[in-house]
């Protein structure tokens, strides 16, 4: 099965110097992959020459504009119709690519993708989903910032999309779903969260029940569902704690010659620990709910990190995530899964 990805070569803090080496790396690992690099043709060709790379599975689609990282979504939509981001998304709409990967402006990417691709039937709003390390391997969490104010129906939609994402890419036919709350009891939480719990209990999903913040990293459930405000705060808190742990470990091992020698002895374990928590390996957030696969890389990603965003797009494309979401949505329709937003 040939998979064609449109890569926004100009997006992010570093542009072609990151996106092109990462694309070359992906092509070397996936024989059935074709990549369309979208952006300034001359800059892309220069970077390819630096990497001494020529391959028939890589092509260039020129785009004359770039969406700046601080540009408003409205400006990007109205004034940057030939941006690398917009052209890459258009390639999905034109069925020339199965997915798009970009490290560009998150708000502009979401607005452009929603405008060009539209929403899947039965989905009111797109959600941002990503994987996080846990004691049991990986936990998928959504929404991570696209929707700060949600209805119970929105949360049910997020649960369907998250469950089908995990089922598709991991092969788990019944991934467990937890609803993030301030306690495990059914009566806990806001009115919206309690209503969402009722809908989830009546759904065909493998609903575990309410989960708390510490359950995310315990791996209590395969999927954790919440609104975008709570999800983004939880994500940024986790990132901050990981940075704090790394800083404290470094300070303690550098304290004196004894601790420095202990660090040398522990180097193998420390490197394994660092690898397991390396955020670069979890780069690549999926914009779920669109009629197309769009993966957002961290704007400051290096080529190692951007490769993982590409890998996310590959896995979603080859495992038919969109089709599986649609099938599950049809199964849940009797619950009134779509709110008045879609009527």
């Amino acid at each position: 099965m040939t998979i064609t990805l449109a890569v926004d070569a100009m997006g992010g803090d570093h542009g072609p110097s990151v996106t092109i080496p990462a694309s070359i790396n992906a092509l070397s690992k996936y024989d059935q992959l074709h990549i369309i690099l979208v952006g300034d043709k001359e800059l892309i060709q220069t970077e390819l020459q630096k990497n001494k790379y020529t391959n028939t599975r890589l092509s260039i689609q020129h785009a004359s504009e770039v969406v700046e990282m601080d540009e408003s979504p409205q400006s990007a939509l109205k004034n940057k119709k030939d941006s690398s981001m917009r052209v890459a998304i258009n390639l999905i709409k034109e069925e020339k690519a199965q997915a798009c990967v970009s490290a560009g402006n998150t708000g502009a990417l979401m607005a452009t993708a929603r405008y060009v691709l539209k929403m899947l039937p039965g989905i009111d709003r797109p959600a941002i989903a990503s994987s996080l390390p846990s004691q049991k391997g990986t936990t998928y969490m959504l929404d991570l910032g696209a929707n700060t104010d949600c209805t119970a129906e929105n949360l049910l939609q997020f649960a369907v999309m998250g469950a089908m994402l995990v089922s598709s890419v991991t092969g788990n036919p019944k991934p467990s779903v937890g609803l993030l709350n301030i306690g495990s009891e059914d009566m806990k939480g806001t009115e919206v969260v309690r209503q969402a719990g009722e809908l989830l209990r009546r759904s065909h999903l493998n609903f575990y029940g309410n989960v708390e913040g510490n359950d995310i990293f315990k791996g209590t459930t395969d999927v954790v569902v919440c609104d975008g405000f709570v999800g983004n705060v939880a994500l940024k808190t986790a990132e901050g704690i990981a940075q704090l742990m790394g800083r404290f470990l470094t300070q303690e091992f550098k304290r004196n010659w004894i601790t420095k020698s202990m660090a040398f002895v522990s180097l193998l374990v420390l490197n394994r620990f660092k690898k397991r928590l390396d955020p670069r390996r979890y780069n690549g957030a999926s914009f779920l709910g669109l009629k197309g696969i769009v993966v957002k890389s961290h704007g400051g990603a290096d080529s190692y990190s951007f490769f993982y965003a590409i890998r996310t797009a590959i896995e979603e494309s080859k495992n038919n995530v969109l089709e599986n979401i649609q099938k599950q949505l049809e199964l849940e329709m009797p619950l009134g899964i779509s709110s008045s937003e879609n009527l």
Side-chain angles (χ1 to χ4, degrees):
M1 174 186 176
T2 301
I3 297 171
T4 301
L5 301 185
V7 173
D8 173 10
M10 314 305 292
D13 297 337
H14 310 293
S17 64
V18 159
T19 58
I20 291 175
S23 297
I24 292 171
N25 186 22
L27 287 166
S28 71
K29 288 180 167 59
Y30 295 92
D31 293 337
Q32 302 302 312
L33 177 64
H34 178 87
I35 288 181
I36 305 172
L37 294 171
V38 183
D40 187 297
K41 187 174 182 178
E42 289 187 9
L43 291 177
I44 292 173
Q45 287 176 333
T46 299
E47 192 63 35
L48 286 172
Q49 289 170 1
K50 287 181 184 178
N51 287 272
K52 298 179 181 178
Y53 187 81
T54 56
N55 192 303
T56 55
R57 292 188 288 121
L58 187 151
S59 57
I60 301 172
Q61 176 70 51
H62 180 68
S64 61
E65 299 173 314
V66 177
V67 175
E68 302 300 330
M69 295 300 283
D70 59 352
E71 192 165 351
S72 71
Q74 295 83 358
S75 174
L77 270 176
K78 183 178 179 181
N79 303 319
K80 297 288 183 70
K81 295 181 181 179
D82 195 44
S83 68
S84 55
M85 180 186 293
R86 178 73 170 264
V87 173
I89 294 171
N90 285 343
L91 289 173
I92 302 177
K93 180 74 171 179
E94 296 163 4
E95 299 184 353
K96 295 178 181 177
Q98 290 148 282
C100 163
V101 184
S102 175
N105 180 318
T106 303
L109 184 65
M110 177 65 81
T112 302
R114 186 170 184 177
Y115 177 78
V116 173
L117 299 175
K118 312 305 181 189
M119 303 300 300
L120 287 170
I123 298 295
D124 298 318
R125 303 180 186 180
I128 300 175
S130 189
S131 61
L132 301 170
S134 74
Q135 294 178 28
K136 295 182 179 179
T138 301
T139 298
Y140 285 77
M141 188 171 177
L142 73 166
D143 177 28
L144 294 178
N147 308 280
T148 57
D149 187 20
C150 296
T151 65
E153 291 82 5
N154 293 149
L155 294 175
L156 174 59
Q157 293 166 19
F158 298 167
V160 169
M161 294 191 293
M164 291 305 99
L165 171 64
V166 173
S167 178
S168 300
V169 301
T170 68
N172 180 355
K174 295 290 286 184
S176 55
V177 177
L179 182 63
L180 192 60
N181 205 336
I182 58 172
S184 60
E185 300 86 354
D186 294 345
M187 74 284 296
K188 289 287 184 70
T190 65
E191 181 66 23
V192 168
V193 172
R194 292 197 299 272
Q195 290 174 359
E198 287 298 320
L199 289 174
L200 285 163
R201 276 183 280 276
R202 290 160 48 201
S203 74
H204 296 84
L205 300 174
N206 181 18
F207 181 52
Y208 173 87
N210 291 334
V211 294
E212 298 179 75
N214 58 340
D215 288 305
I216 299 170
F217 300 101
K218 283 182 181 178
T220 302
T221 59
D222 300 304
V223 182
V224 174
V225 175
C226 58
D227 66 53
F229 183 90
V230 171
N232 194 266
V233 170
L235 177 65
K236 297 297 172 60
T237 301
E239 290 175 349
I241 291 173
Q243 291 170 1
L244 182 68
M245 288 174 60
R247 182 70 60 83
F248 280 2
L249 276 171
T250 300
Q251 289 175 348
E252 291 304 318
F253 277 122
K254 288 183 176 180
R255 191 168 293 278
N256 54 53
W257 69 268
I258 298 176
T259 56
K260 287 178 182 179
S261 62
M262 291 174 64
F264 180 76
V265 173
S266 308
L267 193 59
L268 179 62
V269 174
L270 289 171
N271 284 337
R272 287 178 178 173
F273 174 78
K274 181 180 178 181
K275 183 177 180 181
R276 291 181 69 179
L277 291 181
D278 189 348
R280 299 180 301 169
R281 297 176 63 240
Y282 299 91
N283 185 41
S286 306
F287 287 4
L288 298 179
L290 302 165
K291 291 181 179 178
I293 295 171
V294 177
V295 174
K296 170 68 174 72
S297 165
H298 193 287
D302 59 15
S303 60
Y304 178 84
S305 181
F306 194 81
F307 163 78
Y308 280 92
I310 293 175
R311 192 178 75 164
T312 296
I314 293 170
E315 292 300 318
E316 291 186 22
S317 298
K318 75 178 184 180
N319 289 297
N320 304 312
V321 169
L322 296 182
E323 292 81 356
N324 292 333
I325 289 174
Q326 194 61 62
K327 288 178 184 177
Q328 190 66 33
L329 286 170
E330 292 170 1
L331 189 62
E332 305 298 346
M333 279 300 178
L335 288 178
I337 188 170
S338 184
S339 70
S340 58
E341 294 179 37
N342 237 12
L343 299 179

